[in-house]
Amino acid sequence: LQMRAHDQGVVQLESDRIFLSEETARAGSALPGAQGILTYLVTSMGHGEKLTPYFFGVAGSVPDGMGDDEIVINRWAANELGADIGDTVTLKYAVLQASNEFTEASRAFTVHSIREMADLETDRELMPVFPGLSDVESCAEWDVGMPMDEELLNDESNEAYWDEYRQTPKAFVTLAAGQAMWQNRFGGLTSVRYVDTEATADELKTSLRDEMDPTLLGLFFIPVGEQAAMAVSGAMDFGGLFLGMSFFLIVAALLLTGMLFVFGVQQRASQLGTLQALGYPTKTVRRLILGEGFIIALVGVAGGALLGTFYTRALIYGLGQYWQGAVANAAILYHAETTTLLLGAVITLVCAMAAMWWVLRGLFKRTTRDLLTMNFSQDDTSGPTKTNGVVARVLPGVCALLAFTIVGSSFVIEMGNAAPAFFGAGALLLLSGVLFFRLAIVRLQRNRSPESFAVGTLAVLNLSRRPGRSLAVVSLLACGCFLVFAVSSMQEDMVAHADDRASGTGGFALLADATFPLLEDPAGEIDDGSVTTTAIKVRDGDDASCLNLNQAQTPRLLGVNVAEMADRGAFVSEGDDETWALLNTELPDGVIPALVGDANTALWTLKKKTGVDKGDVLIYIDEAGNEVPIKLVGQLPMRLSVFQGSLLISQDVFTRLFPSEDGHRMFLIDAPGDRTSDVIATFGRRFDRFGLDTIPAVDRVLEFYAVESTYLAMFLVLGGLGLAIGSIGMAVVVLRNLFERRGELAMLQALGFSRGPVYRALFSEYGTLMLAGLAIGGVAAIVSMIPALMSANTDVAFGTQARLAVLVVMTCAACMGMAILAGFRKDDADALRDE
């Protein structure tokens, strides 16, 4: 800002940005003797058939009592137009729109008076300095950044006026009339004049400085330390997610621990019976066995904690060296706390001991005589039949009902975070499936007499001989299968539907980002008109995408043309007319509606609620230093989009808040597939000085998806471990059962059964267990993933799922087959002697 003094006792406040900011205009107009002035380049002034083109009009500095529909013109213009007092003249002028385009408007005025040219010397000298206009010698050289008619610009009479009078204004209107025509986002005044003032320019500077509020000029303090602390405190924490995904793996591991422990104890049942027969109390014998188990568990826990640190170090190393895109190329280091390791070890030890204690309960309910004479090759009729009450029959259905209620609620209630629904529904469905299988075993136990001696019938009946083992195998496989299918269902093919309007690219072929704003449409460089662009204004802020692990406080703002986006149907499902309309919602108290760039931004990085009624509000500072509340009224429906990490507001609102963001820095480009390379090259050559970088839009989505796919790969490793535990558990059970049934199998061979039918019977028996476990886990994964998939319009890759299902079945069948081949001995004479 500067105060310019004139010889005629006039001091003028002006700015090198031409227009005065809102706060500057307010403070300047509050000083004594102030007179607001708005100067504008008018396209033409006409009277009848005559007109004079391109001149400066001034709003303000008019006679007292002059009406808003009246105008003062100078003598030269009056002579040129043949206009006199009382005549009507028409002004035509260009109006700057929010999109940086100019539209032509006009307004008629009645000539109030005519000023002589000699009386305009002061007005001429106090005209603002317009770059590209004030410093040129000819009208033909004017370059003010707005469209101009070359024919009118080269008008001979206008050229003569410029040579003699330069910037002398030709017309004067009231300030109210001028602001109604020419005020724009940059301001409503170009200067403030102090006429007949006794104050000097320096005194006016001091008065102005005292009157102005620096915060309303955009000069304010930012607590960067506090903001950084808030960002770090809300940083992305994958610990809970990893723990949740590991929950099913932990359950499978405990099941395997308990099953292996009970196998060992069963082998020593006669020892336990002997100790009780010699007078040792049951509690003492139990403590003896649990003490042995404690030592084994302690060794396992110590080894697991050590291996866990190495496993974590390996993941951190991979993130730092090979998967840097998952952490936005940030330096990521391994850090462990002793208390964390100890806590994890203690929890693991307690869980292992609890599993051992649980399986010992049933064994020590037997009498001493039972323990001394127990033959584990015989049928085990204990277990499910003892608890076959009303609760056992009702509980599976209740669990299933609760799970489907959670899933169904996702269609009614907007899902803020789909993780609780996923884990809750998944756990309930797994439990329900296992309990339903348990009821089936109970029914088999009730009717052990086969209706036929077909291989399949006998195989199914054999499942009820060891109900506890059968349930353990099914549970192990179900947990592992659940993890594998749940994680794999989250994976998407981002390229497959990239050209759809409802996808994360909006159906646009290319995306262009510029360092400096462009005032022109880059598509104009393509002559054939096959390329169109959607321009977006950008206000930099915190990166709220998945590439930033810290929590963003004020995400980047994007100003979009709502009508254009809605007409294109971009980033929304077909027929969705409501999403983009949310940006035109009128909210009370000056609150601005905004859309979150995609579902992942709202869920993971911002951690905010969305909705017209319940959406969270973020506070921004506009260009004038005012606090602006921006409410998250909704989000784009897809999980990932090119707008990830940004908030979208209406372009008109954006322009009002940030008038200095005069151009566009982001462009979504529609182009034929065979022209994309040419467009990228052309834009690169033409707009390189603006830092314009043009890439395929799908590449931006893939850049974000690289983060998600990395973590999904880690979770898939957990699922693989769970499936490995289930396969190992199944193999152990198969080997154990075949060892206990050696006599039975030897008898079958002695009676003339060939090995083929026996193999088929064993494969049918254990294959039923395998398929039951995989089916329970698979169905639970599919159903529990519905809330997450429905909340973000995710397309599941069903082909990948089918191939994965085949691979899982083949892997489990191979493990089962190898266990059967290893456990089924040919011509086992020793086992036959004991039969």
Side-chain angles (χ1 to χ4, degrees):
L1 299 176
Q2 58 182 341
M3 288 286 187
R4 181 152 57 110
H6 191 265
D7 296 338
Q8 303 298 324
V10 177
V11 179
Q12 180 166 283
L13 169 65
E14 56 191 25
S15 170
D16 57 7
R17 68 190 292 270
I18 309 299
F19 288 89
L20 301 181
S21 68
E22 181 179 347
E23 173 60 12
T24 302
R26 183 205 64 78
S29 300
L31 301 183
Q35 183 183 80
I37 300 294
L38 174 59
T39 304
Y40 202 78
L41 182 63
V42 181
T43 303
S44 68
M45 178 169 57
H47 173 60
E49 299 296 327
K50 298 180 179 180
L51 64 80
T52 178
Y54 295 119
F55 61 90
F56 284 104
V58 173
S61 187
V62 295
D64 294 336
M66 177 173 154
D68 293 340
D69 59 348
E70 294 181 305
I71 189 171
V72 175
I73 61 176
N74 67 17
R75 176 58 63 187
W76 187 95
N79 294 338
E80 183 75 10
L81 298 175
D84 205 346
I85 296 174
D87 289 342
T88 299
V89 296
T90 300
L91 297 185
K92 291 185 178 181
Y93 52 93
V95 179
L96 179 63
Q97 303 295 327
S99 61
N100 285 331
E101 297 176 345
F102 288 90
T103 59
E104 188 178 83
S106 63
R107 181 170 174 175
F109 293 90
T110 301
V111 178
H112 173 276
S113 58
I114 299 173
R115 293 183 65 177
E116 300 300 327
M117 301 304 296
D119 298 335
L120 298 175
E121 186 65 27
T122 300
D123 292 285
R124 170 181 173 176
E125 293 180 1
L126 291 178
M127 289 294 288
V129 178
F130 287 88
L133 190 149
S134 302
D135 53 353
V136 299
E137 297 300 325
S138 170
C139 294
E141 298 176 7
W142 287 5
D143 184 11
V144 293
M146 59 186 293
M148 306 185 79
D149 189 316
E150 293 293 336
E151 183 178 348
L152 292 179
L153 195 61
N154 294 323
D155 181 78
E156 293 183 2
S157 62
N158 212 44
E159 190 72 47
Y161 182 89
W162 180 258
D163 291 338
E164 184 173 356
Y165 300 109
R166 305 294 289 180
Q167 299 178 99
T168 303
K170 294 181 182 179
F172 299 82
V173 296
T174 63
L175 183 59
Q179 290 180 332
M181 293 186 293
W182 306 327
Q183 181 170 316
N184 53 57
R185 66 174 185 265
F186 297 111
L189 294 179
T190 54
S191 61
V192 177
R193 291 179 186 174
Y194 304 95
V195 183
D196 297 329
T197 179
E198 296 180 358
T200 65
D202 289 338
E203 290 173 340
L204 287 171
K205 285 182 183 179
T206 301
S207 299
L208 179 66
R209 189 176 296 115
D210 294 338
E211 177 68 27
M212 295 176 70
D213 183 353
T215 61
L216 297 181
L217 295 171
L219 302 174
F220 48 87
F221 289 96
I222 300 175
V224 291
E226 180 182 338
Q227 290 184 357
M230 292 176 60
V232 173
S233 64
M236 184 71 68
D237 181 11
F238 287 99
L241 194 58
F242 268 96
L243 187 61
M245 297 297 291
S246 300
F247 171 77
F248 303 97
L249 177 63
I250 294 170
V251 171
L254 292 177
L255 285 173
L256 183 60
T257 299
M259 189 169 62
L260 293 176
F261 184 73
V262 79
F263 285 168
V265 174
Q266 286 177 349
Q267 288 292 102
R268 301 167 58 190
S270 59
Q271 294 180 18
L272 304 181
T274 300
L275 290 173
Q276 290 185 356
L278 292 174
Y280 284 90
T282 301
K283 292 182 178 180
T284 302
V285 178
R286 182 185 295 141
R287 283 198 298 269
L288 174 65
I289 298 300
L290 287 177
E292 295 179 8
F294 176 81
I295 295 174
I296 297 172
L298 187 62
V299 174
V301 165
L306 180 63
L307 292 174
T309 61
F310 283 112
Y311 177 74
T312 307
R313 286 178 183 273
L315 287 180
I316 297 299
Y317 179 80
L319 287 172
Q321 298 295 323
Y322 305 107
W323 305 319
Q324 291 183 330
V327 292
N329 297 316
I332 179 168
L333 305 175
Y334 173 82
H335 170 73
E337 296 180 359
T338 304
T339 54
T340 304
L341 292 173
L342 291 177
L343 181 62
V346 170
I347 293 175
T348 305
L349 186 60
V350 170
C351 290
M353 295 306 300
M356 296 178 190
W357 175 83
W358 180 262
V359 297
L360 282 179
R361 287 174 64 254
L363 187 65
F364 279 98
K365 288 180 180 180
R366 300 177 184 271
T367 65
T368 301
R369 181 177 181 278
D370 290 337
L371 292 175
L372 288 170
T373 60
M374 187 173 291
N375 181 2
F376 289 99
S377 64
Q378 302 300 318
D379 294 354
D380 180 8
T381 57
S382 64
T385 52
K386 290 190 175 183
T387 58
N388 186 29
V390 176
V391 175
R393 293 195 297 270
V394 173
L395 187 58
V398 172
C399 291
L401 181 62
L402 289 175
F404 282 103
T405 300
I406 293 175
V407 173
S409 64
S410 65
F411 294 92
V412 181
I413 304 174
E414 182 181 353
M415 298 293 297
N417 187 344
F422 163 69
F423 290 119
L428 288 171
L429 284 171
L430 283 176
L431 180 60
S432 174
V434 172
L435 292 177
F436 272 121
F437 185 78
R438 177 181 177 279
L439 288 179
I441 290 181
V442 169
R443 182 168 298 180
L444 288 175
Q445 282 185 316
R446 288 180 176 179
N447 183 15
R448 296 295 302 276
S449 300
E451 297 178 359
S452 69
F453 289 93
V455 170
T457 303
L458 295 176
V460 172
L461 287 176
N462 275 333
L463 298 179
S464 63
R465 296 178 60 175
R466 296 291 186 190
R469 295 180 185 179
S470 297
L471 284 176
V473 170
V474 169
S475 301
L476 286 170
L477 290 174
C479 288
C481 183
F482 174 82
L483 275 177
V484 170
F485 280 103
V487 173
S488 62
S489 66
M490 301 177 191
Q491 296 177 333
E492 294 184 75
D493 185 356
M494 293 297 170
V495 180
H497 304 289
D499 55 347
D500 292 346
R501 287 297 186 194
S503 69
T505 65
F508 293 95
L510 301 172
L511 171 70
D513 286 307
T515 305
F516 299 99
L518 275 70
L519 298 177
E520 58 185 297
D521 184 358
E525 298 298 315
I526 310 299
D527 297 331
D528 60 6
S530 62
V531 176
T532 59
T533 63
T534 298
I536 298 173
K537 290 180 175 290
V538 179
R539 179 71 173 184
D540 289 323
D542 299 335
D543 182 7
S545 73
C546 55
L547 300 178
N548 180 16
L549 299 183
N550 294 327
Q551 184 176 13
Q553 305 301 307
T554 52
R556 180 178 66 166
L557 285 178
L558 301 179
V560 299
N561 188 320
V562 177
E564 184 176 359
M565 286 291 191
D567 290 342
R568 289 179 180 268
F571 301 99
V572 294
S573 302
E574 185 176 355
D576 181 1
D577 299 326
E578 297 180 358
T579 299
W580 289 114
L582 290 173
L583 292 183
N584 293 327
T585 304
E586 293 186 6
L587 301 176
D589 303 323
V591 177
I592 306 300
L595 292 176
V596 183
D598 59 19
N600 279 2
T601 301
L603 176 60
W604 298 111
T605 54
L606 289 182
K607 304 174 184 176
K608 301 292 184 182
K609 294 180 294 184
T610 61
V612 175
D613 298 324
K614 63 180 180 179
D616 287 322
V617 175
L618 302 179
I619 302 299
Y620 280 77
I621 305 297
D622 68 8
E623 199 168 282
N626 302 305
E627 288 190 348
V628 179
I630 294 184
K631 188 172 187 177
L632 309 181
V633 296
Q635 64 186 36
L636 295 184
M638 63 286 304
R639 282 200 304 123
L640 290 172
S641 81
V642 295
F643 295 136
Q644 184 176 109
S646 303
L647 301 185
L648 285 71
I649 63 176
S650 167
Q651 183 173 255
D652 294 336
V653 174
F654 184 100
T655 302
R656 174 166 55 83
L657 298 179
F658 310 104
S660 293
E661 301 283 353
D662 51 350
H664 299 90
R665 289 169 47 199
M666 178 183 288
F667 299 89
L668 296 171
I669 305 166
D670 271 327
D674 58 349
R675 296 295 310 278
T676 55
S677 298
D678 294 339
V679 172
I680 293 175
T682 301
F683 284 7
R685 290 192 304 269
R686 175 64 178 82
F687 302 103
D688 181 64
R689 67 184 186 278
F690 294 96
L692 188 69
D693 182 26
T694 308
I695 61 173
V698 70
D699 286 0
R700 178 61 54 85
V701 178
L702 290 174
E703 181 181 350
F704 295 138
Y705 186 65
V707 179
E708 181 177 326
S709 62
T710 299
Y711 291 111
L712 287 179
M714 296 179 186
F715 295 148
L716 198 58
V717 171
L718 295 178
L721 290 175
L723 197 59
I725 288 177
S727 300
I728 292 172
M730 181 180 64
V732 169
V733 168
V734 170
L735 291 172
R736 177 73 179 189
N737 285 353
L738 293 182
F739 175 77
E740 294 175 354
R741 295 166 61 184
R742 287 187 306 157
E744 171 192 334
L745 298 176
M747 178 63 72
L748 289 175
Q749 294 182 74
L751 292 175
F753 282 90
S754 62
R755 302 186 69 184
V758 177
Y759 274 132
R760 287 197 297 273
L762 294 176
F763 271 100
S764 298
E765 178 180 342
Y766 297 114
T768 302
L769 285 181
M770 180 193 73
L771 293 177
L774 297 181
I776 292 173
V779 171
I782 294 172
V783 176
S784 63
M785 279 303 299
I786 290 178
L789 301 179
M790 292 299 297
S791 65
N793 288 351
T794 304
D795 292 326
V796 180
F798 290 104
T800 302
Q801 293 292 298
R803 291 190 293 271
L804 181 62
V806 173
L807 179 61
V808 168
V809 172
M810 291 178 61
T811 301
C812 293
C815 293
M816 178 188 67
M818 287 188 291
I820 292 175
L821 292 176
F824 183 24
R825 299 181 181 180
K826 182 179 180 181
D827 302 328
D828 193 348
D830 292 336
L832 190 59
R833 293 191 186 98
D834 297 332
E835 185 66 23

